[in-house]
């Protein structure tokens, strides 16, 4: 009976040592995972701030593109006005040239 109790005691001691080893390994794994979680959180925050910075750059570029577009529109309107004015001047010259032909025809008939 004593031998049987000793065997049970040895088995329980082995189980306890094994359980303690497992508990130590799990604590180490838990600590490692906690560090990894902290690193992931830090990386996530950095990515979020980088994303905010990227959005700010995109907005700034869009604003600059808008300003450039408005400048092009203003310049285009000015060029179009000049072009229309030039076309009107050319039309006036063409009308004058037609009138000169008529005047010269009238002068020849009038002689």
């Amino acid at each position: 009976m004593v031998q049987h109790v000793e065997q049970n005691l040895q088995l329980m001691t082995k189980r306890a040592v094994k359980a303690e080893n497992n508990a130590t390994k799990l604590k180490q794994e838990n600590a490692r995972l906690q560090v990894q979680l902290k690193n992931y959180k830090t990386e996530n925050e950095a990515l979020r701030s980088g994303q905010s910075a990227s959005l700010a750059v995109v907005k700034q570029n869009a604003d600059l593109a808008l300003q450039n577009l408005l400048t092009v529109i203003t310049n285009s309107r000015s060029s179009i006005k000049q072009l229309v004015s030039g076309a009107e001047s050319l039309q006036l010259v063409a009308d004058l040239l037609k009138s000169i032909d008529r005047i010269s025809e009238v002068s020849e008939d009038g002689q």
Side-chain angles (χ1 to χ4, degrees), residues 2 6 8 31-32 46 60 64-65 77 79 82 92-93 105:
V2 172
E6 286 178 355
N8 281 342
R32 187 184 67 76
Q60 184 180 7
L64 181 62
R77 284 184 178 156
S79 296
Q82 289 174 356
L92 181 62
V93 169
E105 288 175 10

Side-chain angles (χ1 to χ4, degrees), residues 45-93:
E45 288 172 15
L47 287 173
R48 283 186 181 159
S49 6
Q51 186 179 21
S52 296
S54 295
L55 288 175
V57 169
V58 168
K59 184 181 179 333
Q60 184 180 7
N61 288 343
D63 289 343
L64 181 62
L66 176 62
Q67 292 302 318
N68 289 338
L69 185 59
L70 291 173
T71 300
V72 167
I73 290 170
T74 302
N75 293 341
S76 296
R77 284 184 178 156
S78 174
S79 296
I80 290 170
K81 286 178 184 177
Q82 289 174 356
L83 190 61
V84 168
S85 174
E88 288 172 353
S89 296
L90 289 174
Q91 184 64 49
L92 181 62
V93 169

Side-chain angles (χ1 to χ4, degrees), residues 1 3 7 9 15 20-21 27 30 39 41-42 47 49 58 62 69 73 75 77 85-86 88 94 102 105 107-109:
M1 176 106 170
Q3 188 179 13
Q7 285 177 348
L9 187 57
R15 286 183 191 158
E20 286 176 7
N21 288 339
K27 285 178 184 177
N30 188 24
N39 290 341
K41 284 182 178 179
T42 303
L47 287 173
S49 6
V58 168
L69 185 59
I73 290 170
N75 293 341
R77 284 184 178 156
S85 174
E88 288 172 353
R102 287 185 198 146
E105 288 175 10
S107 296
E108 290 175 3
D109 291 340

